Amino acid sequence: MSEIIVPRQFRGPPVTANGGYICGVLSNAVGGRGSAMLRSGVPLDVPVTLTPGEDGSVVLSNAEGQPLGSAKPAADDAIPMPPTPPTVEEARRYQAASRFAQKSLHRGCFSCCIEREDGEGLGVHVGQIDGAPLGTCAGLWTPHANFANPDGTMPDEITWAALDCSGSMAWWVKTETPVGLLGTMAGEVLVKPKAGETYVVVAWADRVEGRKHFAGVALFDANGQVMARSGQIWIGRPPGAPPYQMPPVTANA
């Protein structure tokens, strides 16, 4: 067993860890190419316990022994092949036109919040790609040196966080409504991104099975090389839930 502590900087919801970040932590514990399932919010600034299983899996638990998440090596079909990416300049244009460029999908979230300072959050957001199927989106990510390893590359959990919320955004673009919470994220980092370089993020809404909304998110360098890719399952809102309205843009947002 080992203990980990997720600092408040890496939050998603106000009092729990960003889903992509913690999925990256869990997948690192199974070799890096993992499939992580979230069962409950991971608390911030307190120790949680990572326990290996005999089958190569790991389980994350709180102080009371309640399972918070788990991970296992990812099957081949859990990580979809991404579509061809747009250029950096095209992605910049789609990102700028996104509704999430004016108002964060989740205020304060480490992955997507645009109100957080550069180098304190990632601010990744995507917008619809012209001519592509609805819900196929792109944006940019330039990793900050504040998060870098000594060699200038990004820790995998930071890259996983950068891949997180764009899958939810793709579904919002496709359906004009949020899909809920991240349930499962499978992924791999093929080439570690470097601080200061600009990468293209591509996200696409795939299919629905009951309340499960499948999405893919991938990261490309300026030459179109795949740096990282993920398959996600977002858990939709229960039947009968009231419609969600995105908060309006305000002058002091």
Side-chain angles (χ1 to χ4, degrees):
M1 294 191 299
S2 60
E3 284 191 341
I4 63 172
I5 296 176
V6 180
R8 187 163 300 275
Q9 179 180 6
F10 303 117
R11 75 175 182 87
V15 297
T16 56
N18 170 258
Y21 179 89
I22 202 66
C23 285
V25 169
L26 290 170
S27 291
N28 284 343
V30 297
R33 187 180 191 273
S35 179
M37 178 180 292
L38 302 176
R39 300 180 180 276
S40 185
V42 176
L44 303 167
D45 296 330
V46 297
V48 289
T49 302
L50 196 61
T51 305
E54 295 181 356
D55 58 354
S57 65
V58 295
V59 175
L60 188 69
S61 305
N62 63 13
E64 291 73 37
Q66 175 190 5
L68 304 174
S70 60
K72 60 184 180 181
D76 289 342
D77 61 358
I79 309 175
M81 293 300 296
T84 301
T87 66
V88 168
E89 287 309 312
E90 288 170 337
R92 193 185 311 278
R93 187 170 71 250
Y94 302 142
Q95 181 186 64
S98 169
R99 67 192 303 166
F100 308 109
Q102 300 182 48
K103 188 72 174 182
S104 294
L105 174 64
H106 299 299
R107 185 71 179 263
C109 172
F110 175 69
S111 174
C112 68
C113 178
I114 60 174
E115 290 87 13
R116 292 180 68 161
E117 295 292 332
D118 187 32
E120 201 272 330
L122 305 182
V124 178
H125 53 286
V126 294
Q128 175 66 35
I129 296 175
D130 292 344
L134 190 62
T136 304
C137 303
L140 299 177
W141 177 43
T142 303
H144 197 282
N146 286 1
F147 306 118
N149 294 314
D151 65 355
T153 63
M154 288 296 111
D156 286 356
E157 61 269 24
I158 299 297
T159 302
W160 279 63
L163 298 178
D164 179 7
C165 297
S166 293
S168 179
M169 293 179 190
W171 272 109
W172 196 325
V173 169
K174 184 177 179 69
T175 64
E176 285 295 316
T177 186
V179 295
L181 299 174
L182 181 65
T184 301
M185 186 171 178
E188 59 182 345
V189 177
L190 301 169
V191 183
K192 291 181 181 294
K194 295 181 179 179
E197 297 191 8
T198 297
Y199 299 94
V200 174
V201 180
V202 175
W204 62 100
D206 186 6
R207 68 189 188 279
V208 179
E209 296 178 4
R211 289 175 58 196
K212 295 180 179 179
H213 292 64
F214 292 77
V217 184
L219 187 72
F220 300 84
D221 70 7
N223 296 317
Q225 178 185 7
V226 181
M227 307 292 290
R229 59 194 184 111
S230 71
Q232 306 173 348
I233 301 176
W234 293 83
I235 307 303
R237 293 162 64 81
Y244 184 91
Q245 297 295 326
M246 190 174 181
V249 177
T250 59
N252 60 352

